[in-house]
Structure formats: C-alpha cells, structure tokens
C-alpha cells in the first residue's frame, strides 16, 4: 500500500520521538512492501515562531490531504505567557476540531516487564490491568463558551461544559463497539450527581445500551473512578467519558503503567484519517538531551497502521518488538530509576533490531 503521512513534530522532545517513530514506520514499510510518504508541517510553538500562528492554514490543509497524521507534542515555557488563542495547546485543540476527530482512544496496560514500575501495592499489581479509555475529544468544556465578565465578586472568568445528545451518542457508539471487540464491559464515567450535562450523558449511554445487549454497561462518578483506578484498575475494560474527565483520568492511568512515556493514543473521526500522538507532552526540560522515551510515539504509529490503514499484522509486529525490548531489560531514563539507561536512538535501534 502507498500512504501519505503528515508529520507534526511540534516542540520540545516532539522532533526526537517522531523521528524514532518514522524510522520504525520505514522499517515496517520495507518489510511488508509498503510505501509511506512523509510530509512535515509546523504546529505549536515552532509554528508561532515561524508564522505567528500556532496552527497555520497550510498545516490544516496538509493534514486533510494526508491519509493520516503523526504528531509529537506542542508547547514550552517560551510560549506560556501568550494569550489563550495564541498558545501552542490551542493548535492541538484546533487540529482535532478541523479534522473532526471526536474519538480519542487511550489504551493503558501493565507490561509484565514493567510491573515493578507500577506505583501500586504488589497485591494490586499482581492482578495486572489492560484498559482502554475512550475520551470524547471535540466537545465539552474544552470547546464550550468561555470568557471574562464582571460578576458578584468583580472580575471573573468562566468556561462551560455542554454536550448534545448527538455528541454523546456518537462517542457512545464507538465505546460500545470497542467493548464488543474487547472484554464486553463498558464503564461510563460522569458526574451525574451534580452536572446536568452528565445526566444527559448517562441517560443517552443507557438508551444506547439496549442496542448492544452483549456489552455490560456500568456507570461511575468521576471522583470514585479516580479512586478505583488506583484501588483496583483490573476492574476496568473500556471506559467512556467526556473530554476533560478523559484528559485527567488518562494521565492517571498512564502513571500506573510505570511512565507516561509509554502511552500512545489515536484520535479518530468518521473517516479512516486519524491523528496519532503520545499522550505525554513536549517535556521541554529534557528536549534535545536524547533521553526521551520513544515508545509512546512508536506505539502511536502502530495504532495508525491498525486503525487508519487496516495493517493489523504490521501493528502487531511493532507491539511485539516493543514487548520484547522491555522484556530484554531495555530502558530509557524515565524507567531506569537512576541506573544506566538507553538514549532515545538506542531504544529505537533495539526495537528496529527486533522487526
Ligand atoms: C492531551 C493534552 C491536551 C488535551 C492539551 C495540551 C490541550 O493534555 O492531549 O491530553 O487536553 O487534550
Ligand atoms: Mn492531557
């Protein structure tokens, strides 16, 4: 197959980890007889520096003209004091919206080789965990009406959480279908004891449940879910939740795997074109030091092969290679606990050697 892949390397460690993933994709292309054509575009702080805007029009066009998009990370202290609409993070929200990527899949599983890195008690770790967070990505409070105004106590700022039935239904369907392909348990997480938007969320999820009788649906309040994730993560199969709750809970879940440097993500819409990125940020403190963990981005590339290109065998191959390097004891600094560790490039080489 021939595929056009847009590369949004971004800021901080973004270029290093995207370069690693590109090397892996090229190896897979050679092994399986595919051709991947990579086209870089600017996003985030580097785009602000070069063009004045965090998400140049050219970047949006390039992504929409591609078969899929691989993104590193955006942001850094240099751009932290810019007004909201000019911040690098705005570009991330902007490209998700422009590509209509309303689904964000964030898998978190415990690698046996990293069991010792899980911060939980040994008896909890012994049960392992393998969960998938389905996060709504283009609605809710991150996209709601916001502003500044004069209120009861003077100057105030506000953001609003709003979900339409349509938005809940379409993410709900993805979640039920995801659960059908996994352990057939879906936990919908909300704050229905307080929020009106959560009450509609819960109602719609239960209406959908009648169409998916093979999936067992449960509800959980988000505060309880944050606790249950550290008390007994093995209870979860698929989680579906709103944009903000999913953002927060997926960072929590990532730490259970040992390092946020391990978690990939896929952002999908209603076409096969997706955007794939590690869930971690640009880590400006370690940028250019060649110590970033490339695994989350490499696994994101594997998700691209699986979800956008239908290349399941190729994706499985990458996942296997990552499993093997971890089993072999290969570690980047984030997982080395001060012991000697591999550089970004050495870790990538180790994965390539097993492909
Ligand atoms: C993430 C990030 C982004 C988000 C920010 C940077 C806008 O935290 O991908 O989880 O909240 O979605
Ligand atoms: Mn986040």
């Amino acid at each position: 197959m021939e595929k056009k892949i847009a590369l949004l390397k971004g800021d901080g460690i973004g270029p290093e980890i995207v370069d690693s993933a590109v090397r892996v994709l090229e190896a897979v292309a050679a092994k399986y007889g595919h051709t991947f054509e990579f086209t870089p575009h600017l996003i985030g702080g580097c785009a602000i520096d070069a063009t004045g805007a965090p998400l140049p029009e050219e970047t949006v066009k390039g992504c929409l003209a591609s078969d899929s998009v691989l993104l590193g990370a955006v942001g850094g202290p240099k751009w932290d004091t810019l007004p909201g609409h000019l911040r690098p993070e705005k570009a991330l929200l902007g490209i998700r919206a422009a590509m209509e990527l309303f689904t964000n899949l964030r898998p978190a599983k415990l690698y046996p080789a990293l069991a010792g890195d899980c911060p939980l008690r040994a008896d909890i770790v012994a049960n392992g965990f393998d969960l998938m967070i389905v996060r709504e990505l283009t609605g809710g409070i991150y996209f709601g009406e916001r502003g500044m105004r004069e209120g009861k106590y003077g100057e105030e700022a506000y953001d609003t959480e709003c979900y339409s039935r349509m938005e809940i239904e379409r993410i709900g369907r993805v979640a039920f279908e995801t659960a059908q392909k996994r352990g057939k348990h879906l936990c919908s997480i909300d704050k229905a004891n307080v929020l009106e938007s959560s009450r509609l969320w819960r109602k719609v999820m239960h209406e959908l449940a009648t169409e998916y009788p093979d999936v067992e649906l449960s509800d959980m309040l988000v505060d309880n879910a944050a606790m249950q994730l550290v008390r007994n993560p093995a209870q979860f199969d698929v989680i579906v939740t709103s944009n903000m709750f999913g953002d927060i809970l997926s960072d929590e879940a990532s730490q259970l795997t040992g390092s946020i440097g391990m978690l990939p993500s896929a952002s999908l819409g209603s076409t096969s074109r997706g955007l794939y990125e590690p869930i971690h940020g640009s880590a400006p403190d370690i940028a250019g030091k060649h110590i970033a963990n490339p695994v989350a981005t490499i696994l994101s590339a594997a998700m691209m092969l699986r979800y956008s290109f239908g290349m399941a065998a190729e994706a499985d191959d990458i996942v296997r290679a990552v499993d093997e390097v971890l089993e072999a004891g290969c570690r980047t600094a984030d997982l080395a606990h001060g012991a000697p560790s591999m550089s970004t490039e050495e870790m990538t080489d180790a994965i390539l050697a097993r492909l």
Side-chain angles (χ1 to χ4, degrees):
M1 278 195 237
E2 284 181 25
K3 297 290 179 192
K4 290 196 188 70
I5 301 175
L7 297 180
L8 309 182
K9 297 186 184 184
D11 310 312
I13 58 171
E16 302 161 49
I17 54 178
V18 169
D19 287 346
S20 288
V22 166
R23 291 177 62 208
V24 170
L25 285 170
E26 276 172 341
V28 166
K31 180 168 172 184
Y32 290 87
H34 302 305
T35 308
F36 297 144
E37 187 192 311
F38 299 99
T39 312
H41 302 281
L42 295 172
I43 193 166
C46 60
I48 296 175
D49 289 350
T51 73
L55 183 62
E57 196 47 44
E58 183 274 333
T59 296
V60 176
K61 281 199 190 124
C63 290
L64 292 174
S66 72
D67 293 308
S68 228
V69 182
L70 184 66
L71 184 141
V74 299
K78 182 173 173 196
W79 308 283
D80 268 352
T81 49
L82 291 170
H85 69 286
L86 279 180
R87 288 184 59 113
E89 291 81 358
K90 188 76 189 170
L92 214 46
L93 299 174
I95 192 67
R96 291 169 183 169
M99 294 175 68
E100 298 179 66
L101 305 171
F102 61 87
T103 300
N104 190 206
L105 301 180
R106 298 190 159 186
K109 68 170 183 181
L110 185 72
Y111 289 86
L114 299 184
D117 294 275
C118 176
L120 302 181
R121 250 185 8 238
D123 60 313
I124 305 174
V125 176
N127 294 326
F129 61 87
D130 180 352
L131 58 94
M132 174 72 91
I133 298 179
V134 180
R135 169 189 177 194
E136 199 290 327
L137 201 61
T138 51
I141 196 165
Y142 291 8
F143 288 90
E145 199 191 315
R146 73 193 55 198
M148 304 287 298
R149 65 190 169 199
E150 277 304 302
K152 192 171 158 198
Y153 304 107
E155 183 186 32
E156 66 179 27
Y158 65 96
D159 300 272
T160 47
E161 172 90 343
C162 173
Y163 269 112
S164 63
R165 168 177 286 277
M166 182 282 283
E167 291 172 293
I168 303 168
E169 251 181 49
R170 68 178 179 185
I171 192 69
R173 287 191 189 286
V174 173
F176 276 101
E177 282 159 27
T178 304
Q180 280 180 324
K181 291 182 210 138
R182 293 179 39 114
K184 301 191 166 51
H185 287 271
L186 176 62
C187 182
S188 170
I189 293 173
D190 61 37
K191 188 71 184 172
N193 53 348
V194 178
L195 302 177
E196 205 59 62
S197 52
S198 279
R199 284 191 275 271
L200 181 62
W201 180 281
R202 193 176 278 213
K203 181 165 169 242
V204 172
M205 287 299 163
H206 281 270
E207 287 170 13
L208 282 179
T210 62
E211 294 179 40
Y212 301 89
D214 52 333
V215 175
E216 194 185 309
L217 174 70
S218 58
D219 306 292
M220 196 177 279
L221 296 172
V222 64
D223 46 353
N224 183 27
M227 179 181 78
Q228 295 296 335
L229 264 177
V230 291
R231 200 185 74 90
N232 176 19
Q235 72 185 283
F236 295 107
D237 175 21
V238 179
I239 285 172
V240 62
T241 192
S242 63
N243 202 341
M244 181 162 68
F245 295 162
D247 186 22
I248 297 168
L249 294 176
S250 59
D251 267 35
E252 187 186 353
S254 77
Q255 196 53 45
L256 302 183
T257 68
S259 168
I260 195 168
M262 296 296 298
L263 250 74
S265 84
S267 301
L268 307 166
S270 43
T271 72
S272 65
R273 185 186 307 112
L275 182 148
Y276 299 81
E277 55 175 315
I279 84 150
H280 61 71
S282 59
D285 53 322
I286 61 164
K289 292 188 179 162
H290 305 275
I291 59 170
N293 186 347
V295 168
T297 315
I298 290 169
L299 291 175
S300 298
M303 289 184 91
M304 171 186 287
L305 299 181
R306 189 183 311 281
Y307 291 102
S308 283
F309 302 160
M311 299 178 182
E314 291 86 332
D316 288 343
D317 212 3
I318 296 176
V319 171
R320 177 198 47 77
V322 169
D323 282 347
E324 284 179 20
V325 300
L326 293 174
E327 286 295 338
C330 301
R331 300 286 185 271
T332 39
D334 53 319
L335 289 167
H337 308 287
S341 57
M342 290 175 123
S343 69
T344 308
E345 290 77 15
E346 286 164 342
M347 189 69 170
T348 309
D349 288 341
I351 294 169
L352 286 170
R354 288 165 175 84
L355 277 173

